[in-house]
């Protein structure tokens, strides 16, 4: 079974292994989407504010998104820092979050190399 599908299935299996390594740090789909947006904006060197994230109505209500941001912060995936004027909070990924994406990249590389 050497097809693109099998590479993707290997990738999913490798991600499952990562999740089992850190069972207490499992993210739900909304948390993953939020973290993806935070990390992408960080790498693009764009500021991501709490207000920007809780306005993403396609991901859920403002209350839901605010709760998920609190969860991400409590798990150590993000930090909320005051911006220049101190009235708004910028959301940045932690070292742990960046390490998570590095590990996911390694899983993808490994799955593709096995094809």
């Amino acid at each position: 079974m050497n097809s693109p599908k099998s590479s993707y299935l290997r990738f999913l299996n490798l991600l499952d292994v990562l999740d089992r390594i850190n069972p207490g740090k499992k993210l739900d789909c909304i948390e993953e989407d939020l973290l993806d947006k935070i990390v992408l904006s960080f790498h693009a060197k764009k500021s991501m504010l709490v207000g920007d994230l809780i306005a993403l109505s396609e991901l859920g209500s403002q209350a839901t998104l605010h709760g998920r941001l609190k969860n991400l912060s409590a798990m150590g995936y993000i930090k909320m820092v005051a911006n220049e004027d101190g009235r708004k909070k910028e959301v940045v990924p932690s070292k742990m979050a960046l390490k998570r994406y590095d590990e996911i990249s390694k899983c993808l590389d490994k799955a593709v190399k096995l094809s």
Side-chain angles (χ1 to χ4, degrees), residues 90-101:
E90 185 176 344
V91 183
V92 294
S94 67
K95 288 181 183 179
M96 184 174 77
L98 297 174
K99 182 180 176 189
R100 172 184 165 85
Y101 282 84

Side-chain angles (χ1 to χ4, degrees), residues 19-95:
D19 285 341
R20 281 188 263 138
I21 291 171
N22 291 322
K25 304 280 186 184
K26 184 134 173 74
L27 304 177
D28 69 18
C29 61
I30 295 172
E31 291 164 343
E32 285 181 3
D33 286 345
L34 285 170
L35 193 56
D36 287 346
K37 291 185 183 310
I38 293 163
V39 170
L40 286 170
S41 72
F42 179 77
H43 279 285
K45 299 192 185 330
K46 293 182 181 177
S47 169
M48 181 63 74
L49 302 176
V50 170
D52 298 331
L53 291 165
I54 63 171
L56 297 170
S57 59
E58 69 273 10
L59 297 181
S61 70
Q62 288 186 347
T64 296
L65 296 175
H66 195 265
R68 292 314 198 287
L69 287 173
K70 282 185 175 181
N71 290 348
L72 288 170
S73 179
M75 287 188 280
Y77 283 111
I78 62 171
K79 293 184 254 179
M80 295 185 213
V81 294
N83 69 352
E84 302 85 37
D85 69 5
R87 293 180 292 160
K88 297 179 180 179
K89 292 204 177 194
E90 185 176 344
V91 183
V92 294
S94 67
K95 288 181 183 179

Side-chain angles (χ1 to χ4, degrees), residues 5-23:
K5 287 182 192 175
S6 64
S7 295
Y8 187 67
L9 293 175
R10 277 194 297 276
F11 175 64
L12 291 178
N13 283 327
L14 291 168
L15 286 181
D16 186 51
V17 169
L18 278 181
D19 285 341
R20 281 188 263 138
I21 291 171
N22 291 322

